[in-house]
Amino acid sequence: MTSGATAAGRAAPGTAATAAGTPLLTVSGLSGAFRTPHGEPTEVLRDISFEVPRGRITAIVGETGSGKSLTALTVMGLCPPRLTVRGSITFDGRELLGLGEDGYRELRGSGIAMVFQDARSSLNPVLTVGRQLTDVARLHRGVNKRAARDLVAEALARVRIPDPRRRMAQYPHQFSGGMAQRAMIAMALLCRPRLLLLDEPTTGLDVTTQADVMELVVELAGQDGLTACLVTHDLGVVGETCDRVVVMRHGTVVEEAAAADFFRAPRAEYSRVLLAANRLADEPGRPS
Ligand SMILES: Nc1ncnc2c1ncn2[C@@H]1O[C@H](COP(=O)(O)OP(=O)(O)OP(=O)(O)O)[C@@H](O)[C@H]1O
Ligand SMILES: [Mg+2]
């Protein structure tokens, strides 16, 4: 399946982004079950297939517990140990399932970076934000401490954190929720990933901050041909920022479509329910 329309307000990706023409990430027939001490394993991912085209933003939407985070974590090789998965996940043509810890370590960061569901809890409370980001920069960019600090200041400025040098000396609790989220995005960007996975990056933020963070994600995705996959509950955000939509329910993909097609004519019954619940189905002026 190829990607359709580009989200409103975003330029079509450049040739570098689309060079190979194939999706950057392809998940096919991914199934997963939790082992239980007694009885049958609990199946939570059922034959999931979808594609993440290069240089675009793909949304994964669906009700709570539908398997969105587990799918993203499995792509990163971070699924819980009791989850047994089978199927195929290819990143730029390379099979990821069965890669082993060394392979995943190499992949994480510069290949795929993830911003987790709760940004603040992903930061270490006893280290300054600057120290944490500097460590990541040193590891992934192979530079000395001083150069790493310059890269961090630059990355924080890029995610629009004012006065980055002063902020670097602060601890996570001194950051607002929106700033912690931006710092996590800056951390992911410091790795220069080819694919950025964002798991509900705006949960817990006020509406204005949510909009700011999403605007930032779109802007960043528009630069450098960055490919992003965004897990969200917010179809308003999807309509404004995403090119493709993957709809999940009960561990399955019920629809995969260009965003414009999804909003104009959703194919799955559950997609229609989701749209109605978001009160967007009848709203005039949907992006098309
Ligand atoms: N560590 C775990 N042990 C057992 N079951 C789990 C574990 N993590 C997730 N699950 C179950 O797997 C299913 C999918 O969970 P997942 O976290 O992927 O949902 P989600 O779509 O991200 O939901 P949300 O929108 O609430 O974040 C759920 O039924 C959940 O209860
Ligand atoms: Mg989740």
Side-chain angles (χ1 to χ4, degrees):
M1 223 181 280
T2 52
S3 176
T6 299
R10 218 154 74 74
T15 39
T18 51
T22 55
L24 183 58
L25 183 81
T26 304
V27 174
S28 34
L30 180 70
S31 294
F34 277 103
R35 289 188 296 277
T36 48
H38 315 288
E40 285 292 295
T42 314
E43 204 178 20
V44 286
L45 303 177
R46 298 181 178 90
D47 198 18
I48 290 172
S49 299
F50 66 92
E51 294 177 346
V52 177
R54 294 164 201 266
R56 304 285 175 98
I57 306 183
T58 299
I60 302 183
V61 301
E63 66 197 6
T64 184
S66 56
K68 305 179 298 295
S69 292
L70 283 182
T71 301
L73 289 168
T74 304
V75 168
M76 288 292 281
L78 295 173
C79 66
R82 283 190 304 109
L83 185 73
T84 309
V85 291
R86 61 176 198 282
S88 167
I89 300 174
T90 56
F91 177 69
D92 207 14
R94 180 185 183 198
E95 179 60 51
L96 299 188
L97 283 191
L99 200 56
E101 198 40 45
D102 286 349
Y104 273 117
R105 203 170 297 129
E106 192 193 310
L107 176 83
R108 280 182 217 129
S110 53
I112 309 177
M114 183 161 170
V115 175
F116 295 92
Q117 213 161 341
D118 178 2
R120 204 189 295 273
S121 68
S122 312
L123 287 164
N124 185 334
V126 301
L127 296 176
T128 64
V129 173
R131 163 75 193 277
Q132 295 178 64
L133 269 69
T134 304
D135 286 351
V136 168
R138 290 184 74 179
L139 181 69
H140 287 279
R141 304 282 283 271
V143 291
N144 66 28
K145 197 169 165 184
R146 193 192 169 119
R149 287 185 65 79
D150 290 344
L151 285 173
V152 170
E154 198 181 285
L156 290 175
R158 201 173 163 207
V159 297
R160 298 200 285 268
I161 289 186
D163 203 356
R165 296 271 174 188
R166 184 176 65 87
R167 287 290 179 181
M168 282 167 68
Q170 295 187 334
Y171 291 85
H173 75 266
Q174 294 170 288
F175 274 48
S176 68
M179 256 177 217
Q181 198 58 265
R182 282 158 200 267
M184 290 310 296
I185 294 172
M187 189 185 274
L189 291 172
L190 276 169
C191 307
R192 289 200 286 202
R194 297 178 60 208
L195 172 64
L196 179 61
L197 296 177
L198 299 137
D199 192 354
E200 311 218 18
T202 58
T203 304
L205 305 181
D206 65 68
V207 177
T208 318
T209 316
Q210 281 186 14
D212 286 350
V213 170
M214 282 319 301
E215 194 182 299
L216 174 68
V217 169
V218 174
E219 187 187 310
L220 295 170
Q223 297 165 2
D224 318 326
L226 179 74
T227 305
C229 187
L230 167 71
V231 175
T232 181
H233 280 275
D234 190 336
L235 290 185
V237 161
V238 175
E240 279 161 28
T241 60
C242 297
D243 305 295
R244 285 188 71 73
V245 183
V246 175
V247 184
M248 289 188 62
R249 189 184 196 202
H250 298 158
T252 65
V253 171
V254 296
E255 178 158 359
E256 181 186 13
D261 295 338
F262 169 78
F263 285 106
R264 195 188 312 117
R267 292 193 308 273
E269 176 58 32
Y270 175 63
S271 301
R272 289 191 279 273
V273 171
L274 263 189
L275 280 163
N278 275 259
R279 293 195 304 273
L280 287 169
D282 301 317
E283 195 180 288
R286 291 300 319 148
S288 57

